[in-house]
Amino acid sequence: MTQSLSNPTVIKEILSRHGFTFSKKLGQNFLIDSTVCPRIAEAGNAREGYGIIEIGAGMGVLTVELSKRADKVVAIEVDHRLIEVLHETLADCHNVKVVEADVLKLDLNKLIENEFPGLKVAVCSNLPYYITSPILMKLFESRLPIESITALVQKEAGVRLCAPVGTREAGAVTVAASYYSEGKILFPVSRGCFMPSPNVDSCVVKFDMRKTLPEVKSEDFFFKMVRGMFTQRRKTTVNAICGSLGMDKAAVTEAMTEAGIALNSRPEQLKMDELIALSDALYR
Ligand code: SAM
């Protein structure tokens, strides 16, 4: 049964037997292409010696592939209606634990400590698109002891996440991704690979977590500054910082000069080393 989980007829039969209807609000677009899940699992470090965290298990099509390859899988799913579906579809997957929870409210450090002793850990998921950024920010900022995050995301989000810092596409989440990891786009996934089919294309991205993080005087202040700046990204950096952090213009101008940054620059033009230099100069 688990082999045909990417077959639309089988999916429809199982879901209708459980009286399940898709929730747009929860970003429920399930994979129905039999080639995509094995590729994601393999790219996502699902192999011997690894424990995998999957966020948003749906009806378990990716979970099965992760389970075949990794030592253990913890599959997190918020939708109570899918839990009994998962118990059916994953009945033969004895190394999977299904956790009913909102991932944004879970203590993932504790989960890793309890569920994966002695294993390397990776996150591998087809993420719910409506909360891609909050989930990734949480994964990055929680400083989890993980090797990598591999995620199926909306194509535009993938481009933004993996853009070089200092380019037009980059945003606050790009800076966080680049601070904590080395990210790259692995391969595209077309809208036809999902049921229901979303009206956007997707791609798989992978973030290999850095062992050593860039040096910055205060990480809290750095990210506060970055978040603030990017909410006003079309303004000059000086005005964006004054506006978002309520700082004095003379002090910001002085810090910009100290950091060697042009006074007419815009937030999206600043490279990682310039953002760090500016944060260090502003942080007293
Ligand atoms: N992994 C399945 C697949 O590939 O077919 C489903 C992926 S679907 C894009 C995203 C899943 O995330 C849905 O099953 C949805 O219910 C779940 N989800 C949405 N918000 C969540 C949250 N805050 N915490 C955990 N799961 C969530």
Side-chain angles (χ1 to χ4, degrees):
M1 114 102 76
T2 47
Q3 288 204 318
S4 42
L5 262 187
S6 52
N7 177 333
T9 314
V10 175
I11 297 177
K12 280 183 191 150
E13 189 279 316
I14 297 174
L15 294 182
S16 86
R17 200 155 28 75
H18 287 271
F20 178 87
T21 48
F22 290 97
S23 159
K24 218 173 172 175
K25 208 178 82 200
L26 288 175
Q28 290 175 341
N29 300 94
F30 295 172
L31 278 163
I32 52 164
D33 182 298
S34 61
T35 64
V36 175
C37 290
R39 282 184 82 187
I40 299 177
E42 260 151 43
N45 284 346
R47 54 184 136 103
E48 215 183 302
Y50 273 81
I52 303 289
I53 299 176
E54 184 193 4
I55 298 164
M59 60 183 296
V61 62
L62 174 59
T63 325
V64 171
E65 298 301 327
L66 296 169
S67 157
K68 281 186 205 165
R69 294 167 174 82
D71 285 10
K72 183 171 180 184
V73 180
V74 170
I76 302 163
E77 175 54 60
V78 75
D79 189 342
H80 178 68
R81 301 170 306 156
L82 286 168
I83 302 302
E84 65 179 66
V85 175
L86 285 166
H87 284 140
E88 177 182 334
T89 57
L90 302 175
D92 297 335
C93 301
H94 302 294
N95 60 350
V96 177
K97 177 169 180 175
V98 175
V99 173
E100 181 181 347
D102 176 346
V103 69
L104 295 177
K105 295 186 183 148
L106 262 187
D107 183 340
L108 292 171
N109 274 301
K110 204 154 143 200
L111 182 144
I112 290 172
E113 199 182 311
N114 293 341
E115 302 294 342
F116 300 118
L119 292 177
K120 290 185 175 175
V121 181
V123 173
C124 192
S125 293
N126 171 13
L127 289 178
Y129 291 177
Y130 74 107
I131 44 169
T132 297
S133 290
I135 291 177
L136 289 174
M137 285 306 270
K138 171 168 177 157
L139 295 175
F140 289 134
E141 289 177 346
S142 304
R143 298 278 197 107
L144 304 173
I146 56 176
E147 303 283 312
S148 62
I149 302 168
T150 304
L152 181 50
V153 299
Q154 194 175 321
K155 190 174 148 197
E156 287 69 24
V159 169
R160 177 175 285 270
L161 283 159
C162 298
V165 174
T167 61
R168 248 189 123 73
E169 289 77 25
V173 70
T174 319
V175 178
S178 167
Y179 181 89
Y180 290 108
S181 73
E182 273 182 79
K184 54 180 176 295
I185 296 179
L186 296 186
F187 55 90
V189 177
S190 74
R191 61 192 77 189
C193 296
F194 299 89
M195 186 172 82
S197 171
N199 49 13
V200 289
D201 287 317
S202 302
C203 65
V204 174
V205 289
K206 182 169 185 187
F207 303 99
D208 286 305
M209 307 309 287
R210 293 188 194 282
K211 305 266 181 260
T212 316
L213 297 182
E215 262 183 49
V216 49
K217 273 188 197 162
S218 162
E219 208 175 282
D220 282 350
F221 180 77
F222 175 72
F223 281 109
K224 193 173 155 197
M225 179 195 85
V226 168
R227 269 197 218 99
M229 278 166 68
F230 278 97
T231 57
Q232 311 194 3
R233 54 189 293 146
R234 303 280 169 238
K235 292 190 177 170
T236 61
T237 306
V238 177
N239 287 340
I241 291 178
C242 293
S244 60
L245 299 186
M247 293 183 98
D248 176 60
K249 194 161 183 166
V252 178
T253 307
E254 193 189 320
M256 294 273 291
T257 309
E258 192 185 320
I261 300 170
L263 291 178
N264 61 353
S265 71
R266 299 190 188 269
E268 63 194 22
Q269 295 173 317
L270 303 191
K271 298 198 172 39
M272 184 63 99
D273 55 346
E274 292 175 315
L275 289 169
I276 291 174
L278 180 56
S279 159
D280 284 352
L282 282 169
Y283 182 72
R284 303 265 180 235

